[in-house]
Amino acid sequence: SIAGDSAGMTAAEALRNCPSESSLALLVAVIGQIGESVVITDASAIIRFVNPAFTRISGYSAEDVVGQNARFLTSGRKDPARYRELWETILSGEFWRGDLINQRKDGTFYIGEMSVTPVRDSSGAITNFISITREVTEPRATENALHTSEKRLEDAQSIASMASWEVDAGATELCGADGSWRIFNLAPVAGSLPFSNVLNAVHEQDRARVNETLQNTLRTHEPFDVEHRTVRQDGSVRVVRSRGQVVADPQGGTVRLVGTTLDITEGKLAHAELRRSEEKYRTLIANIPDVAWTSDAEGNPIFVSSNSEKVYGFTSQETCTPGFFSSRIHPDNHEKVATAYKAFLEGHAVFDEEFRIQRKDGQWIWVHDRAVATYEKHGKLYTDGMISDITKRKQAEEALAQERNLLRALMDNIPDHIYFKDLQSRIIRTSLSHAKAFGLSDPEQAVGKTDFDFFTAEHAQQAFDDEQNVMELGESLMGREEKETWPDGRVTWASTTKLPLRDSLGEIIGTFGVSRDITDRKRAEDLLAGERNLLRALIDNMPDWVFVKDLQSRYLAANIAVARALGFEKPEEMIGKNDFD
């Protein structure tokens, strides 16, 4: 009754019906013996009475709290809306019940299951409030821990696509967690379904096998572990793994079949994809020209791809022997390769080497060997790598080197100036004669320089403009004769040809030039021109007729005497005419 239960007398009725002081004392004695905290306040929430249980639970004595407002006992750890609901309820004269977090005298908190009852006088006005509180800190903590544990289990099962379930001994009904219904895509009734409904969700090709497995477990009590497919309501098929065992009572009677179902569809798909990837990898490795290898920490091969026989004549089985590669490396390269591989294993460098190795037929070939990954497996260090046959490339490089040497010898032994320039007209290669013209003893000294480093600014600018035009238009400048003025004052003549320099794709990457020194020829021409002028003057001043005719008797040349005799002012007017004219 004191708790406000409707089945008996309320606390308010008990107080109103006390006929004497002895009865009131009896009532107080009863309240003092109950285990719940009892607090009586006036209509303003000022505490007027507390029982011993209140002191035991809260740590406050009656002297501490009587005359205080009951609000000082609140902890502030509940939503203020909760307190507003409480006061709105009891001030309206209604009974209120709920959990609140209160604070003890020592500062600790406890959870109380509280009921608050308004007390009215004969006129119906509220005069008091009686609150009865039962401490439920430990039960609530247990409930919360259980709820948290269940939630964590449910979350873990959801994340792992796993569900737990139970089947009764007769295999008639299945009870399960939410995850069960997600996996089987079924809608339960009150957390359970007829086992036949669940069995019908199993793929028809797996259904008999699964049912037989479960029935056998119920008969033999042997645990089961079975993979099977389930068909969802949308028609999609999932692959699951169900495992379980029989749980029996102490007397040995079967109680239920307990198990879990794990959705392994993604894992199956991943495994299938991995298998396909491995097949593709094997096919790729078998068909690429390079040889894939794996070696241990000592450099001994433990795996070599099957195309090794195409490269150096040995089968993969023959190569997977200790010391195989080391014994086949050319003596001139052996120390370098061994040092590089040791440095790689010690983490000081990469392993990327070119060296010669002897084939099974005794032929020496060039290979490019590089490590691509190092890893540890079962406590041992391994390295993966690739070997390529680069013999043809090496032969091409040697042929190219010979061609370059031949070109170098050719350029260094011809008198003409030969040079190659980049897009900015910087010299990238030049002949020895060209270098010497600049006062250099080695053609390499001219690399990177421009005409501005050797000629006057005017001449260098003209050369730069010519080269830019050649590259821009893609047209050649052929045999132009030009005067060259050098920084030391020398003046020379050159016949220059400049062509666009193209790469293998036809893109212009610079210019190619040939310059021939024609200073001596120019001097000879000047001398010859002088001699011709002198002879012309001599002939023109002779009184005799002097003339030259071709095979058709046409005048090719004549002196002034002939011209004037025939009525011409200048000998040039007679050219091409004959005596009939």
Side-chain angles (χ1 to χ4, degrees):
S1 295
I2 220 63
D5 293 336
S6 59
M9 182 183 297
T10 66
E13 291 171 340
L15 288 177
R16 284 200 302 270
N17 295 334
C18 287
S20 63
E21 291 184 4
S22 60
S23 297
L24 183 59
L26 179 60
L27 181 58
V28 171
V30 171
I31 294 174
Q33 294 300 313
I34 65 175
E36 288 82 3
S37 163
V38 178
V39 178
I40 301 176
T41 72
D42 60 18
S44 302
I46 302 302
I47 298 175
R48 298 304 182 191
F49 171 83
V50 295
N51 70 340
F54 169 82
T55 299
R56 176 177 52 79
I57 293 173
S58 69
Y60 290 103
S61 65
E63 290 77 10
D64 292 331
V65 298
V66 171
Q68 298 281 350
N69 191 295
R71 287 186 174 88
F72 94 96
L73 296 173
T74 61
S75 65
R77 299 187 66 180
K78 275 286 187 181
D79 187 348
R82 182 73 162 163
Y83 294 108
R84 285 197 300 272
E85 176 202 347
L86 184 158
W87 284 105
E88 288 173 359
T89 301
I90 63 178
L91 288 174
S92 67
E94 299 295 328
F95 171 78
W96 182 90
R97 172 175 288 172
D99 285 0
L100 289 177
I101 300 177
N102 291 326
Q103 190 170 17
R104 295 187 178 91
K105 187 175 182 179
D106 62 6
T108 60
F109 300 96
Y110 66 96
I111 301 174
E113 186 181 66
M114 177 185 292
S115 62
V116 182
T117 304
V119 180
R120 300 176 183 272
D121 60 13
S122 56
S123 65
I126 296 176
T127 58
N128 299 89
F129 296 105
I130 300 176
S131 73
I132 300 176
T133 303
R134 179 166 62 93
E135 185 181 0
V136 293
T137 304
E138 292 186 5
R140 290 293 185 271
T142 301
E143 290 173 6
N144 290 337
L146 179 60
H147 176 74
T148 300
S149 178
E150 291 175 345
K151 184 66 170 61
R152 287 176 178 172
L153 177 60
E154 183 178 348
D155 291 343
Q157 290 184 354
S158 176
I159 294 172
S161 297
M162 177 185 286
S164 56
W165 47 263
E166 297 179 3
V167 176
D168 63 290
T172 60
E173 185 179 58
L174 183 142
C175 299
D178 291 343
S180 301
W181 319 123
R182 284 195 298 270
I183 289 178
F184 291 103
N185 196 215
L186 298 172
V189 177
S192 66
L193 273 178
F195 180 66
S196 59
N197 289 15
V198 179
L199 194 60
N200 287 335
V202 176
H203 195 284
E204 61 180 356
Q205 295 180 0
D206 301 337
R207 193 175 301 148
R209 176 170 55 86
V210 171
N211 188 44
E212 175 60 29
T213 299
L214 297 178
Q215 295 297 334
N216 181 68
T217 297
L218 289 172
R219 287 193 305 269
T220 65
H221 292 195
E222 292 291 330
F224 72 90
D225 187 338
V226 60
E227 284 187 13
H228 60 89
R229 291 164 290 176
T230 63
V231 182
R232 300 169 65 87
Q233 293 181 359
D234 61 4
S236 61
V237 178
R238 308 292 291 179
V239 182
V240 300
R241 182 180 183 183
S242 296
R243 307 172 70 179
Q245 62 184 22
V246 169
V247 177
D249 61 20
Q251 288 72 37
T254 300
V255 177
R256 62 193 184 279
L257 184 64
V258 178
T260 60
T261 297
L262 175 65
D263 189 333
I264 60 173
T265 307
E266 280 69 26
K268 281 288 186 180
L269 292 175
H271 181 71
E273 181 62 29
L274 178 61
R275 187 169 61 251
R276 285 193 293 270
S277 297
E278 289 175 345
E279 290 297 329
K280 289 181 181 178
Y281 173 75
R282 293 191 190 98
T283 302
L284 176 65
I285 290 297
N287 288 279
I288 61 174
D290 295 348
V291 178
W293 56 264
T294 300
S295 69
D296 59 21
E298 286 72 41
N300 296 315
I302 60 172
F303 164 78
V304 178
S305 59
S306 58
N307 54 354
S308 63
E309 193 167 5
K310 296 178 182 179
V311 176
Y312 32 77
F314 292 93
T315 66
S316 56
Q317 291 77 14
E318 289 175 319
T319 58
C320 290
T321 55
F324 171 81
F325 282 110
S326 178
S327 66
R328 310 300 298 184
I329 296 175
H330 195 281
D332 292 347
N333 306 133
H334 192 281
E335 183 177 356
K336 176 189 174 187
V337 174
T339 302
Y341 192 71
K342 180 180 179 182
F344 167 73
L345 292 177
E346 293 174 351
H348 301 316
V350 297
F351 182 73
D352 191 331
E353 297 293 325
E354 295 181 357
F355 55 90
R356 285 165 292 177
I357 194 168
Q358 192 173 35
R359 285 173 47 87
K360 191 174 186 178
D361 59 9
Q363 178 187 356
W364 289 99
I365 62 172
W366 278 94
V367 295
H368 179 200
D369 194 5
R370 63 269 190 205
V372 297
T374 299
Y375 54 94
E376 189 173 305
K377 186 177 181 180
H378 305 308
K380 295 183 178 180
L381 185 67
Y382 296 95
T383 301
D384 291 338
M386 303 287 288
I387 287 182
S388 309
D389 185 346
I390 59 169
T391 305
K392 291 184 178 179
R393 194 198 85 194
K394 281 291 187 180
Q395 290 172 345
E397 288 177 354
E398 290 175 0
L400 180 59
Q402 291 176 355
E403 290 178 0
R404 286 176 175 169
N405 291 335
L406 180 62
L407 177 61
R408 179 82 266 171
L410 177 64
M411 290 177 61
D412 288 347
N413 286 280
I414 60 176
D416 292 344
H417 300 177
I418 300 175
Y419 52 85
F420 299 88
K421 295 183 179 181
D422 63 16
L423 293 172
Q424 287 74 42
S425 291
R426 294 176 299 216
I427 296 173
I428 54 179
R429 176 171 290 187
T430 187
S431 64
L432 180 60
S433 61
H434 197 210
K436 287 181 176 180
F438 294 145
L440 305 175
S441 59
D442 185 352
E444 293 299 322
Q445 294 174 291
V447 174
K449 292 182 169 55
T450 70
D451 286 343
F452 290 95
D453 295 307
F454 304 110
F455 295 104
T456 62
E458 181 181 359
H459 179 73
Q461 186 64 50
Q462 180 62 53
F464 178 83
D465 293 341
D466 289 342
E467 289 157 0
Q468 294 301 310
N469 287 333
V470 166
M471 290 185 287
E472 182 177 349
L473 301 176
E475 298 177 355
S476 302
L477 179 67
M478 304 296 294
R480 188 172 73 183
E481 295 183 358
E482 54 189 359
K483 184 185 293 185
E484 299 174 332
T485 304
W486 300 79
D488 60 4
R490 287 183 301 120
V491 177
T492 60
W493 279 88
S495 174
T496 300
T497 295
K498 296 184 178 181
L499 301 89
L501 181 63
R502 301 177 184 272
D503 61 13
S504 59
L505 300 177
E507 296 291 330
I508 295 176
I509 59 174
T511 55
F512 163 66
V514 178
S515 179
R516 175 169 293 179
D517 190 332
I518 59 172
T519 306
D520 291 341
R521 194 199 81 191
K522 277 292 187 179
R523 289 173 182 166
E525 288 176 352
D526 290 344
L527 181 59
L528 180 59
E531 292 177 350
R532 284 175 177 171
N533 291 336
L534 180 60
L535 181 59
R536 177 83 256 179
L538 177 62
I539 293 174
D540 281 344
N541 287 281
M542 289 177 64
D544 297 331
W545 290 13
V546 180
F547 56 87
V548 180
K549 289 184 178 183
D550 63 13
L551 294 175
Q552 286 75 37
S553 293
R554 291 178 299 227
Y555 284 96
L556 295 176
N559 66 350
I560 294 177
V562 177
R564 288 178 179 174
L566 297 179
F568 295 99
E569 292 184 5
K570 296 179 180 180
E572 288 79 5
E573 296 175 5
M574 297 176 57
I575 305 305
K577 293 180 170 58
N578 58 32
D579 289 336
F580 292 95
D581 298 313

